[in-house]
Each structure stands twice: as structure tokens, then as C-alpha cells.
Amino acid sequence: MKTNSKGLNITLWIVQGILAFMFIMAGFMKTFSPVEALLEGGMLKSPDEIGLVRFIGISELLGGLGMILPMLLKWKKLTSLAALGLFIIMVLAVGVHIKAGDTVGHTMVPATLGLLAAFVAWGRRKN
């Protein structure tokens, strides 16, 4: 099914812009912030986890760029794959928040971002 709706395309671009901003911002912070700042901000429970947090940050940076660059460079199918990758990261993030016993508010952010990423993956799959 090819989605030709102008309204859907505009909505997808808006959602892609939101996701790009959120993931580039979060990815930049996780990738480049000092360990102490990550510990204070609660993004890191132990200095031993820094490798995983940096990997997640780089993945989020690339996913955020993947929301915008492939469409601008006419590699449209890559946008859907980037969105699928972000969806998977957010499903895992929800699991981590639930396992850690975080509040519903902390869990809702990755859940919402994951649903938005799934929408983009669906909307751009053949477009």
C-alpha cells in the first residue's frame, strides 16, 4: 500500500522532526556527558554501565539523524528502518524502567516515543 495522502505525509514529517529532536538531544547527552553528570542525572546507576549508556547514546543519535537525513537524501526506505530501530530501543527502555520500578511518568516517555517511532516505521515503509 502506497501512502499518497498529503496530510499523512505532513504528519509523518512533524513526528519525524519531534523524534529527531528528542533522540539527537538524548543521544548527545548520553554520548558526550561526563560519567559524573550521568550518575547525577540518573541515566547511569553505576560507572560500570558507561559502555552500555554510550552505545545507547550513539544508537539514539544515529536513529535521530535517521528520521531526517534519509528523506532529505532520497533514501526513503532507510527512514522506516531507523524508526523501527528506535521503536526496538524504546521497547527495551520501557522494560528497563519497569524492572527498575520507575514511576509511570518515567515509563510513559519511552512508551510514547516508541509508539511515535512505530507510526513513522509504518507510514514510511513504502513511501
Side-chain angles (χ1 to χ4, degrees):
M1 174 180 124
K2 186 160 174 83
T3 52
N4 290 327
S5 167
K6 185 176 181 179
L8 177 60
N9 190 46
I10 291 169
T11 303
L12 285 166
W13 268 113
I14 291 168
V15 172
Q16 285 172 238
I18 292 167
L19 289 173
F21 175 77
M22 296 295 289
F23 281 106
I24 290 170
M25 183 179 63
F28 190 86
M29 196 170 14
K30 289 174 187 162
T31 303
F32 298 109
S33 292
V35 173
E36 297 78 25
L38 293 171
L39 284 165
E40 288 174 20
M43 286 190 235
L44 189 61
K45 303 290 184 209
S46 159
D48 297 335
E49 299 172 341
I50 191 63
L52 177 61
V53 171
R54 298 285 194 225
F55 173 76
I56 293 168
I58 291 168
S59 299
E60 289 176 343
L61 272 171
L62 293 173
L65 291 172
M67 291 294 95
I68 303 297
L69 289 179
M71 294 296 291
L72 296 177
L73 299 173
K74 307 295 185 209
W75 300 336
K76 295 179 181 182
K77 291 184 192 280
L78 209 52
T79 300
S80 182
L81 292 174
L84 181 60
L86 290 174
F87 170 73
I88 292 168
I89 291 170
M90 291 300 98
V91 167
L92 295 172
V94 166
V96 167
H97 284 287
I98 290 171
K99 184 178 177 188
D102 290 340
T103 63
V104 172
H106 281 100
T107 306
M108 289 306 296
V109 172
T112 302
L113 291 174
L115 290 174
L116 291 173
F119 170 68
V120 171
W122 168 81
R124 295 295 186 203
R125 73 193 183 289
K126 300 221 177 178
N127 194 355

